[in-house]
Amino acid sequence: MKDNFSTKADDYARYRPEYPDAVFEYLEHILPRKENAWDCATGNGQVAVRLASFFDQVYATDISKSQLEHAHRHPNIQYSLQPAEKTGFPAGFFDLITVGQAIHWFDFERFYPEVKRTARKNALLVILGYGRIQVNPNIDQCIDELYTHIVGKYWDAERKYVEEGYRTIPFPFEELPVPVFHLSMDWTLGHLRGYLETWSAVKHYMRHHQKNPVAIIYPKLKAGWGEQEKRTVNFPLLLRIGKIN
């Protein structure tokens, strides 16, 4: 698994979108047991802290020490520095395993056996993520210029799985049908800029060129934003749920 998010982990915690309440209400409803959950590649713990409201115990792992240091704290969450593909958890332990906006970085051939080893029979694997941000045509055009033309060649190859809506990742589980959920928030222009600066391709560009590519589009972005303090931003929500037999 790659670690693209140890640098500026506090920005990642501050600017990344939160998943909607309806997703977690749905998971709580469909899960027969809620003893132990594993939030894999937890990052800032945004999924783990939501699971902690209805699980006895949440075990949240990541390979980034910096991310874990900035993660949400909760008495029901135990954080540990562990790779997705090899953990110290006992066999047949988890009722739920979640991965939020990270499955595309994993070594599938090593991660899925670890999922099957650590899961109880009929536990669920939930893959969450979000696609390209959408605001309005003028702002979307600026973001596309950044995404495609400025930092396009700096995206890791794994990014294709996100662009394909996680539909093309290997998924050797009994897949369950899922409802359609919507991911929308009201952001300021500053929040949008902060989010764009968390992109892995932006970080790669900055390391290579020693300058911030978001600054290139910012004048157009600001003009497109206008005088309005906040605007609604939307993300396609990616969700796959598999039963682990």
Side-chain angles (χ1 to χ4, degrees), residues 66-136:
S66 179
Q67 285 278 6
L68 295 177
E69 287 172 348
H70 290 89
H72 299 286
R73 294 308 183 224
H74 191 285
N76 291 7
I77 303 176
Q78 180 177 313
Y79 289 103
S80 60
L81 193 68
Q82 299 192 69
E85 296 86 357
K86 185 175 176 58
T87 71
F89 297 128
F93 189 60
F94 294 115
D95 304 302
L96 172 70
I97 298 172
T98 56
V99 184
Q101 196 68 3
I103 189 70
H104 50 292
W105 302 119
F106 290 5
D107 180 336
F108 301 117
E109 292 183 0
R110 296 176 58 221
F111 174 61
Y112 288 145
E114 187 69 353
V115 167
K116 293 175 181 178
R117 184 187 72 80
T118 59
R120 285 177 169 161
K121 185 174 177 58
N122 295 325
L124 298 183
L125 171 65
V126 175
I127 306 301
L128 283 160
Y130 43 85
R132 184 97 67 89
I133 187 171
Q134 299 168 335
V135 187
N136 65 34

Side-chain angles (χ1 to χ4, degrees), residues 128-181:
L128 283 160
Y130 43 85
R132 184 97 67 89
I133 187 171
Q134 299 168 335
V135 187
N136 65 34
N138 289 336
I139 294 172
D140 294 351
Q141 186 177 18
C142 294
I143 294 172
D144 183 67
E145 181 182 350
L146 175 67
Y147 186 99
T148 304
H149 302 292
I150 299 174
V151 303
K153 70 178 184 180
Y154 295 96
W155 287 109
D156 294 272
E158 294 90 342
R159 178 69 188 179
K160 69 173 185 176
Y161 290 119
V162 179
E163 293 174 345
E164 293 161 355
Y166 281 165
R167 301 315 306 173
T168 56
I169 64 170
F171 202 69
F173 304 98
E174 177 189 343
E175 188 152 10
L176 305 183
V178 297
V180 175
F181 295 100

Side-chain angles (χ1 to χ4, degrees), residues 19 123 128 152 230:
Y19 296 104
L128 283 160
K230 290 188 175 182

